[in-house]
Amino acid sequence: MDSDMEQDTVKQETSSSRSARLRDPHRYLPDEQLAAAAQIAALLRQPLLLTGDPGAGKTQMAAWVALQLGRSLIRFTAKSTTSAQDLLYRFDSVREFRDAQRHRGLDQEPTPTRAYITFEAIGRAIALTYPVEALEMQASWDSEANLQAGETAARPIAATSSVVLIDEIDKAPRDVPNDLLTEFETGEFLVAEARVRLRVQNNLHPLVIVTSNSERALPDAFLRRCIFHHVEMPIKDRLRKIVRSQFPDLPDGGNFETEALEIFDKLYDPETQIALRRRPSVAELLHLLVVHLSFSGVSSSSSSIEGGQMETLTRSGWKIISEQGIRSGLAGLALSSPETATLIFRQCLAILFKTKEDQDAGREWLCGLWGLPRSLGNEAMRRA
């Protein structure tokens, strides 16, 4: 039993590491134009604005740039409630008031204002350009609130430059980018509660990378101050290079890889007629390959959900598809084991298409593309 438990642990770790690999900046492959835009943004000290479909690789670009420059990456994800102040610092006025009430009438030194300050995104990047001894009286670097994920110390000892990722800025209110124009241009901001103005030191200007899914228009004044690049969805040879970079253990010339890439080539072919609200992105393709490798026996990774008969059908079906390819494998399963064929097909649809309407359109299109039964994957067949 202990041996079985150890094997299950190894399998799960392998599956987790394969998923984590998708976020590894060492494996990110930017196109030359994107890398050139980042270089210009760093030279001109202007924000790099990246637009493109969700899943095109905008967020991973920031991690890759930080890796190339040897800088730390500071992440901030915008929300509908985000304000410009949120990108500079937070001041815990509630804790300050509570401490003041507790210390009233006691012969104690009041807690310094710096203890209630937490730097965020741009503010943190500017603060990190100060030598630690110069900043001790301006912010509480010893506070756990100033720790980033995975850090054991709030800041490096030496002054440093950073890459700041402001992700999905279009989710924030429209005024937020305009409210930060001064900070972007001058590299300084005021901590009003501490009566301190911080500015970039030692020419260590941070590189700010801003991403947008274009859900709302950004202000012209902000756009004028940015270096802009639209991240196109990679197809054909470039997409194949990305897949090989992420999954070097895929069998060369495997039918599954070839047919999965064929889906994306055709989906982004202007002549393809399919009514989709949102076309699958590179992220969906990579997730499809993770599932393929996890269930097919190409790797020893495993699902974390024990599904009894469903998992048995899943594994047996993916094994056949791994050996024969999606088209031939599903066609054969549709004749020999319709339940398994339906299960596998619907798993593919769930990964690729993210609304019911898109899944229905995608099912019809894929059945036509591969010559599969039109009934494959629909709800009636699933209940039968």
Side-chain angles (χ1 to χ4, degrees), residues 6-319:
E6 290 176 2
Q7 289 180 2
D8 288 342
T9 300
V10 170
K11 289 178 181 179
Q12 188 59 45
E13 288 174 349
T14 304
S15 181
S16 299
S17 63
R18 192 180 297 282
S19 297
R21 181 191 296 173
L22 302 182
R23 299 182 294 274
D24 184 356
H26 292 85
R27 296 180 180 275
Y28 184 78
L29 293 178
D31 62 59
E32 293 182 358
Q33 294 181 357
L34 183 52
Q39 188 177 30
I40 294 300
L43 178 65
L44 297 179
R45 299 173 183 170
Q46 291 183 309
L48 172 61
L49 173 61
L50 302 178
T51 63
D53 293 336
K58 302 185 298 295
T59 300
Q60 288 89 335
M61 170 64 180
W64 179 83
V65 169
L67 178 67
Q68 298 301 307
L69 296 177
R71 301 184 188 182
S72 61
L73 176 64
I74 302 172
R75 300 173 182 266
F76 185 95
T77 301
K79 300 179 176 62
S80 60
T81 56
T82 295
S83 68
Q85 179 69 41
D86 294 334
L87 285 150
L88 299 174
Y89 71 94
R90 289 183 288 113
F91 184 78
D92 194 341
S93 57
V94 174
R95 186 161 68 93
E96 182 196 36
F97 177 78
R98 188 187 305 121
D99 289 349
Q101 295 297 311
R102 186 169 60 247
H103 294 156
R104 179 177 295 177
L106 300 177
D107 187 18
Q108 292 181 353
E109 287 288 330
T111 304
T113 301
R114 61 185 171 86
Y116 306 107
I117 296 170
T118 304
F119 291 126
E120 298 287 355
I122 298 171
R124 179 178 174 82
I126 293 174
L128 285 171
T129 67
Y130 281 76
V132 66
E133 63 274 8
L135 205 55
E136 282 179 341
M137 299 306 294
Q138 297 170 11
S140 178
W141 284 115
D142 296 329
S143 168
E144 290 186 3
N146 271 307
L147 290 176
Q148 297 283 294
E151 289 183 339
T152 56
R155 63 153 293 153
I157 295 176
T160 184
S161 183
S162 310
V163 173
V164 180
L165 169 64
I166 304 175
D167 211 8
E168 300 181 343
I169 190 66
D170 50 322
K171 286 184 177 179
R174 180 177 167 80
D175 290 339
V176 169
N178 274 353
D179 290 343
L180 291 168
L181 294 182
T182 299
E183 287 75 12
F184 285 140
E185 287 195 328
T186 66
E188 64 179 69
F189 70 101
L190 175 67
V191 183
E193 295 81 357
R195 298 183 178 86
V196 170
R197 181 172 293 277
L198 300 183
R199 58 180 55 87
V200 171
Q201 301 293 299
N202 306 310
N203 208 31
L204 295 172
H205 291 268
L207 172 59
V208 179
I209 297 178
V210 183
T211 74
S212 170
N213 293 325
S214 301
E215 293 182 3
R216 84 167 79 207
L218 298 174
D220 289 342
F222 170 70
L223 293 175
R224 185 181 70 78
R225 291 164 171 83
C226 290
I227 302 300
F228 173 80
H229 182 79
H230 182 75
V231 181
E232 298 286 353
M233 198 66 70
I235 57 174
K236 299 189 182 299
D237 291 344
R238 176 162 161 66
L239 185 56
R240 283 154 178 76
K241 290 179 181 178
I242 291 174
V243 167
R244 279 292 151 185
S245 175
Q246 295 289 344
F247 303 103
D249 49 346
L250 272 173
D252 289 334
N255 289 333
F256 187 94
E257 177 192 1
T258 300
E259 293 174 354
L261 289 166
E262 177 191 25
I263 294 174
F264 278 75
D265 287 346
K266 290 188 177 297
L267 277 173
Y268 284 90
D269 186 332
E271 296 183 2
T272 296
Q273 299 296 319
I274 177 172
L276 294 177
R277 177 183 172 187
R278 175 183 176 273
R279 295 175 189 262
S281 69
V282 176
E284 277 87 18
L285 171 62
L286 297 180
H287 290 152
L288 183 64
L289 291 170
V290 167
V291 172
H292 159 58
L293 293 175
S294 298
F295 280 127
S296 65
V298 174
S299 75
S300 59
S301 49
S302 171
S303 165
S304 60
I305 300 176
E306 294 298 327
Q309 182 183 8
M310 183 184 73
E311 181 165 352
T312 301
L313 292 174
T314 299
R315 291 189 178 283
S316 62
W318 279 103
K319 180 74 172 176

